Amino acid sequence: IELLEQCLDSIDKKSDYTNLEIIIVENNSVKPETFAGYERLKNKYPRLEVLKWTEEFNYSSINNFGARHAKGELLLFLNNDTELIEPGSIREMAGLALQKDIGAVGAKLLFADDTVQHAGVVLGFRGYAAHAFTGIDRDNVGHMVRPLIVSDYSAVTAACMMVKKSDFELVGGFDPIFRVAANDVDFCLKLLKLGKRNVMTPFSLWYHYESKTRQSDKTGSNRKRFEYEVQLFQKKWPDESRGPDPFHNTNFNLDIAPFYLDM
């Protein structure tokens, strides 16, 4: 609940875009302080609704459930472990998402130490995909200044992603076969198949305290689940899994990392 309150408070205090409806999908929480927190938030934000999801955890199904209740023209999928940095972040995403040829709009996400966590997603990394420019400093120009300009990518992370509700419904939302991982990349590829462009804008800037709620995909049972979902993705998108990614320079060795030059 502390993460959620921090996220919403950052939007309330900093965002210069206020035409917002807030939908929280409650997912099998058990702590009394969590539900007390919901009551505080409902009292604080009149346009906030808490929906209750009682089935097993499935990121795709939970977000599809929330989207069905949304009344707005645009959907902003936002993890609870995010914090808004730049006041114009939501407005910048909306300005792009409303354009007819744009599909998904992603933000630039930072770790707590002001290094990049996400600045777009590149296909083909070790048979799946990877975040671009992970680990570089916040203001590092990267390759061709891409971390600092609006850029086309095959996919963006759904930790902070905006899309027209009409496009979301047109492609059937997130595919529930991807319970935790790969759902956002799969979703973005469905938009590309429609002829849409997916973009990342660095002018939407957030902290992302990654995996604070669900824990890392790199350890224990999470790792096995992640590897299984990658296999599902490879079956569904065999060509895209292998690459090359049309928005990535093929002179870089994707076995290392997107846009990383091994000297």
Side-chain angles (χ1 to χ4, degrees):
I1 193 64
E2 293 83 4
L3 285 171
L4 178 60
E5 290 189 278
Q6 176 178 264
C7 174
L8 296 183
D9 285 347
S10 72
I11 294 171
D12 180 51
K13 294 174 182 176
K14 298 178 185 177
S15 179
D16 64 10
Y17 187 95
T18 58
N19 183 26
L20 300 171
E21 167 195 29
I22 302 169
I23 296 175
I24 297 169
V25 184
E26 153 54 34
N27 167 48
N28 296 310
S29 298
V30 294
K31 295 180 179 179
E33 54 264 37
T34 300
F35 295 94
Y38 293 153
E39 294 305 314
R40 285 196 303 275
L41 292 171
K42 284 193 285 187
N43 290 330
K44 190 172 184 179
Y45 305 114
R47 300 186 67 185
L48 182 146
E49 180 181 8
V50 178
L51 305 176
K52 192 170 185 180
W53 176 262
T54 57
E55 300 177 36
E56 67 175 2
F57 184 87
N58 183 306
Y59 183 88
S60 298
S61 296
I62 289 172
N63 279 285
N64 292 344
F65 174 64
R68 287 195 294 271
H69 288 78
K71 303 177 183 68
E73 182 180 349
L74 299 173
L75 302 172
L76 172 60
F77 296 96
L78 188 64
N79 282 17
N80 61 353
D81 57 355
T82 55
E83 181 181 355
L84 185 144
I85 298 172
E86 288 293 337
S89 293
I90 298 176
R91 174 173 46 81
E92 290 287 343
M93 296 180 82
L96 288 164
L98 286 170
Q99 296 180 35
K100 186 177 180 180
D101 64 329
I102 299 294
V105 180
K108 186 174 181 178
L109 306 180
L110 305 177
F111 292 113
D113 64 357
D114 279 335
T115 59
V116 171
Q117 189 262 339
H118 168 271
V121 173
V122 172
L123 300 172
F125 177 73
R126 297 179 182 175
Y128 173 49
H131 287 188
F133 302 112
T134 298
I136 69 172
D137 291 336
R138 171 178 175 163
D139 298 321
N140 190 310
V141 298
H143 174 63
M144 302 292 288
V145 202
R146 289 189 66 172
L148 301 182
I149 60 175
V150 178
S151 299
D152 286 5
Y153 282 93
S154 289
V156 294
T157 180
C160 181
M161 181 185 77
M162 188 178 288
V163 64
K164 286 183 282 293
K165 188 175 183 181
S166 57
D167 284 345
F168 183 80
E169 293 173 339
L170 191 60
V171 298
F174 294 107
D175 190 338
I177 69 167
F178 302 110
R179 293 179 57 247
V180 182
N183 39 59
D184 44 9
V185 183
D186 170 75
F187 175 76
C188 288
L189 290 182
K190 291 191 290 184
L191 290 170
L192 283 183
K193 289 291 186 182
L194 285 182
K196 302 283 184 175
R197 295 164 49 220
N198 301 317
V199 299
M200 183 284 301
T201 172
F203 305 109
S204 182
L205 190 65
W206 308 68
Y207 286 116
H208 183 202
Y209 307 112
E210 189 183 30
S211 304
K212 288 291 186 181
T213 301
R214 297 295 303 172
Q215 304 306 316
S216 172
D217 279 336
K218 299 176 182 178
T219 58
S221 60
N222 281 1
R223 182 178 181 87
K224 292 180 180 179
R225 186 264 310 148
F226 174 76
E227 291 173 348
Y228 172 70
E229 289 179 319
V230 167
Q231 291 172 7
L232 292 177
F233 181 87
Q234 291 168 338
K235 289 180 181 178
K236 186 172 182 179
W237 302 98
D239 294 336
E240 290 78 3
S241 300
R242 290 189 295 267
D245 187 306
F247 303 105
H248 182 259
N249 189 325
T250 56
N251 291 297
F252 289 102
N253 183 353
L254 255 186
D255 289 333
I256 302 171
F259 300 110
Y260 183 84
L261 188 62
D262 184 16
M263 302 298 289

